[in-house]
Amino acid sequence: MTRRLRKTTLEDIARHAGVGMATVDRVLNERGGVSQQTTRRVLEAAKTLGTKRILPTEIKRRLLIEAVFARNHSAYYERLNEALQTVAEVIGLPVTVYRTHIDVDKPDKLSAHLSTVAGSRDGIILFANDLPQTAQVVQQLADKTTIVTISTDITDSGRHSYVGINNENAGQAAAKISEAICRKGGRVLAVTPETGVRAPLERLVGFTRFFEERDAEDRLLVFTPPSNMPVALSQLIQLLTDEDDIRVLYSPFNDAFAERVIEAGMQEQVIRSLAKITHDLSPHAISNLRSGLIDMVIDSNPMQQVSKAVDFIAREHGYVSRKTVADVDFQLYTSENLPRADRAD
């Protein structure tokens, strides 16, 4: 009687290579996150044991990506940073992401750092304001490495790709909801963001254009807060008191002033009574949605942006993720559809 040979298992390969089964799975299914030396040992073990499957034929080196961020103090900035810490595992590619944070008011330092690392990185992910100086250095370095701008585009820079939502469309979505709330009467108040930050300015453009295209400019008020926050809050409260037909408050940027206004809604009836729409699903915004201090958040999906940026750079070098990376689009959240991990049971 002929004895049937036992099929080689992942456990057999792991034991022979001296690694865990999860490592064998990552190597054989090309999920990344394993050193070249360990990958080679696993493949040799699989061949020695006569594994009856197609094995990876190439041990790809790890891609080195530099993420350069112009540091600001927004919650969205922190979410982008957190996404970069886990993106390699999420996307399943052999990638190392180095993170460098440079104060937003030091463009000279940012430009110098880009010039320093460009020659030793397979790609650069850049989150920075659209300044002529930054655009110039990106244009100079585009032949040395793949450069992807994220969240805020840097126009006329020669960057290889921009990854982010269409901010004008996001602003128009907020305007459409605001207009629907006021359809039977009332007006909308939009707060202008701080200057120099391109994304929220684009959202405000989309928001105001919605009313202009419908000849409804008379239903929109725009408030530009002074730099002194207590004075700005006092002026806003006075405006809402004087203009008692305002029904919606819109902020295109979840900045310190927007947060202060939302908090003031706990004491100020003229703020609490309004429908409030803002951007970016920070932990604080989640808490405010749950408590009813705000009504809707339009999120830019930073994890998806980071994944798409890394995927683009990887594809430029011939790497293909086994996980499909969807195009980036904004998402609308209320207290009823928060991500499952953020819901209160």
Side-chain angles (χ1 to χ4, degrees):
M1 181 176 178
T2 303
R3 187 174 181 180
R4 193 172 184 179
L5 294 177
R6 185 173 68 87
K7 182 180 178 181
T8 302
T9 65
L10 293 183
E11 186 177 3
D12 295 331
I13 299 171
R15 188 183 304 109
H16 194 278
V19 298
M21 289 177 59
T23 300
V24 175
D25 176 72
R26 295 185 73 84
V27 171
L28 297 187
N29 292 296
E30 298 181 89
R31 303 187 198 281
V34 182
S35 70
Q36 289 189 23
Q37 182 179 2
T38 301
T39 298
R40 188 173 290 108
R41 195 161 72 243
V42 169
L43 292 178
E44 289 175 354
K47 292 175 183 177
T48 300
L49 295 173
T51 303
K52 302 297 183 182
R53 62 171 290 170
I54 298 175
L55 299 174
T57 58
E58 179 183 1
I59 302 174
K60 293 185 176 180
R61 67 175 180 84
R62 295 189 70 80
L63 292 175
L64 305 181
I65 296 176
E66 184 87 8
V68 182
F69 278 20
R71 182 189 289 114
N72 61 45
H73 300 291
S74 69
Y76 181 72
Y77 173 89
E78 295 299 331
R79 292 176 67 209
L80 274 178
N81 186 39
E82 291 171 4
L84 283 165
Q85 296 178 48
T86 59
V87 65
E89 182 177 350
V90 170
I91 203 172
L93 286 170
V95 171
T96 297
V97 179
Y98 300 93
R99 291 170 290 134
T100 300
H101 306 271
I102 298 171
D103 290 341
V104 69
D105 60 351
K106 296 180 179 178
D108 290 343
K109 186 175 180 180
L110 186 143
S111 297
H113 182 74
L114 289 173
S115 299
T116 299
V117 302
S120 60
R121 298 291 187 258
D122 297 297
I124 293 175
I125 298 173
L126 179 60
F127 174 68
N129 288 341
D130 184 7
L131 301 175
Q133 177 181 349
T134 307
Q136 183 178 11
V137 74
V138 169
Q139 195 167 40
Q140 293 170 351
L141 300 174
D143 290 337
K144 292 186 177 181
T145 190
T146 303
I147 301 177
V148 178
T149 55
I150 190 169
S151 297
T152 297
D153 198 9
I154 300 177
T155 55
D156 302 322
S157 65
R159 85 300 185 263
H160 296 83
S161 181
Y162 162 65
V163 174
I165 68 169
N166 185 314
N167 285 295
E168 289 193 20
N169 284 355
Q172 288 196 328
K176 185 174 182 64
I177 295 165
S178 300
E179 187 270 340
I181 293 172
C182 298
R183 199 161 288 164
K184 290 188 176 181
R187 291 186 292 170
V188 179
L189 178 63
V191 179
T192 60
E194 60 182 275
T195 58
V197 184
R198 184 184 183 93
L201 289 173
E202 290 176 344
R203 295 168 193 162
L204 186 62
V205 167
F207 191 87
T208 56
R209 182 180 296 159
F210 179 91
F211 289 92
E212 291 168 358
E213 290 175 348
R214 289 157 180 78
D215 295 323
E217 295 98 323
D218 59 332
R219 300 178 67 181
L220 174 64
L221 292 177
V222 177
F223 174 70
T224 302
S227 57
N228 185 301
M229 192 175 299
V231 172
L233 182 60
S234 177
Q235 289 182 2
L236 177 65
I237 292 172
Q238 187 61 54
L239 174 63
L240 293 173
T241 302
D242 295 339
E243 307 289 343
D244 60 0
D245 63 339
I246 294 174
R247 301 289 178 263
V248 181
L249 180 63
Y250 169 67
S251 175
F253 192 36
N254 195 8
D255 58 5
F257 180 66
E259 292 282 2
R260 183 68 188 90
V261 171
I262 291 166
E263 290 175 2
M266 290 187 286
Q267 288 82 35
E268 300 290 343
Q269 174 62 24
V270 290
I271 296 176
R272 185 167 62 251
S273 62
L274 303 176
K276 290 171 282 293
I277 302 173
T278 187
H279 288 258
D280 300 323
L281 195 68
S282 67
H284 201 187
I286 290 171
S287 176
N288 288 333
L289 278 172
R290 286 176 177 162
S291 65
L293 287 176
I294 55 178
D295 300 281
M296 179 170 288
V297 171
I298 302 175
D299 190 50
S300 302
N301 206 337
M303 186 70 236
Q304 196 66 32
Q305 291 192 41
V306 168
S307 297
K308 195 70 176 178
V310 172
D311 182 68
F312 179 87
I313 293 172
R315 287 177 181 274
E316 289 291 291
H317 291 274
Y319 292 58
V320 179
S321 172
R322 287 182 173 273
K323 179 179 179 180
T324 301
V325 181
D327 290 335
V328 179
D329 206 350
F330 58 85
Q331 297 171 292
L332 277 62
Y333 288 100
T334 68
S335 58
E336 282 70 35
N337 72 323
L338 289 171
R340 186 166 300 277
D342 297 311
R343 292 181 188 171
D345 294 329

